[in-house]
Amino acid sequence: MIKYREMTESDNAAVATLVRDNLKQFNLDIPGTVYFDAGLDHLYDYYGDVERRYFVIEGNNGEVIGGIGFARFEPMEDTAELQKLYLTDAAKGSGLGYEMIDFIEDRMREAGYKASYLETHDNLKAAIHIYEKKGYKEIERPKEVVHSTMNRFFRKEL
């Protein structure tokens, strides 16, 4: 039985490890990705208001097996950026990624957003497949992109 809950400060290390392990696995432990963001080890400080939230997914033993969040994407009106959707290897392939997107899109709507934006990379083929199946459409690279290594950009009306 999995459980979604809002991230707490004590989740910082587990979430940072989850993100870095996934990026490394796909050869994205390089500059221009969140891998080297100073704030990655302190995500709790970034999230935690109506415009920015992050949720962890707990497995049967209370361990963090995934996470997903959103924050306002200023360049696009009424748009939230879907951020840091990651799962442990053991949780992958179970359909949980689809469920997590449904969950976070509901939280975005509750916060008043009308669209969801995300950025990803060619190396993350499984993630791109999920995004496309969930109705995300590829768009041109916004000029405001912070993580310069990201090379695929998607948007979906909520």
Side-chain angles (χ1 to χ4, degrees):
M1 177 74 186
I2 62 156
K3 175 179 135 188
Y4 289 83
R5 64 172 172 76
E6 201 113 17
M7 180 182 190
T8 64
E9 195 166 7
S10 63
D11 295 319
N12 275 335
V15 172
T17 298
L18 178 69
V19 171
R20 287 192 178 109
D21 286 352
N22 271 275
L23 289 172
K24 190 174 192 129
Q25 185 177 348
F26 293 96
N27 301 313
L28 291 172
D29 51 339
I30 54 175
T33 69
V34 70
Y35 191 92
F36 287 107
D37 282 8
L40 183 56
D41 293 303
H42 309 282
L43 282 182
Y44 175 77
D45 297 339
Y46 176 75
Y47 292 99
D49 65 32
V50 150
E51 293 186 349
R52 295 193 295 238
R53 296 177 70 196
Y54 197 82
F55 297 86
V56 295
I57 295 86
E58 288 184 355
N60 296 332
N61 303 319
E63 76 284 11
V64 173
I65 62 166
I68 190 168
F70 71 85
R72 176 177 299 282
F73 188 63
E74 294 291 345
M76 295 178 186
E77 191 175 343
D78 296 326
T79 300
E81 180 179 5
L82 187 157
Q83 297 180 333
K84 298 173 189 69
L85 188 173
Y86 291 103
L87 287 165
T88 60
D89 286 348
K92 290 177 183 171
S94 64
L96 190 53
Y98 294 97
E99 183 183 308
M100 290 167 68
I101 290 173
D102 289 339
F103 174 86
I104 208 67
E105 287 176 352
D106 285 344
R107 305 294 80 76
M108 289 173 177
R109 284 185 201 95
E110 288 167 6
Y113 292 109
K114 306 274 189 277
S116 175
Y117 161 85
L118 65 87
E119 49 195 55
T120 189
H121 190 276
D122 282 332
N123 291 12
L124 303 172
K125 292 184 184 352
I128 291 169
H129 176 76
I130 291 171
Y131 299 141
E132 290 175 338
K133 285 198 82 152
K134 293 302 294 177
Y136 282 79
K137 304 290 184 223
E138 193 153 8
I139 61 171
E140 299 236 345
R141 176 192 191 95
K143 65 181 182 306
E144 301 87 357
V145 169
V146 174
H147 295 112
S148 57
T149 299
M150 297 297 107
N151 62 6
R152 303 284 297 274
F153 308 90
F154 292 82
R155 190 168 191 277
K156 175 182 177 180
E157 296 298 319
L158 298 172

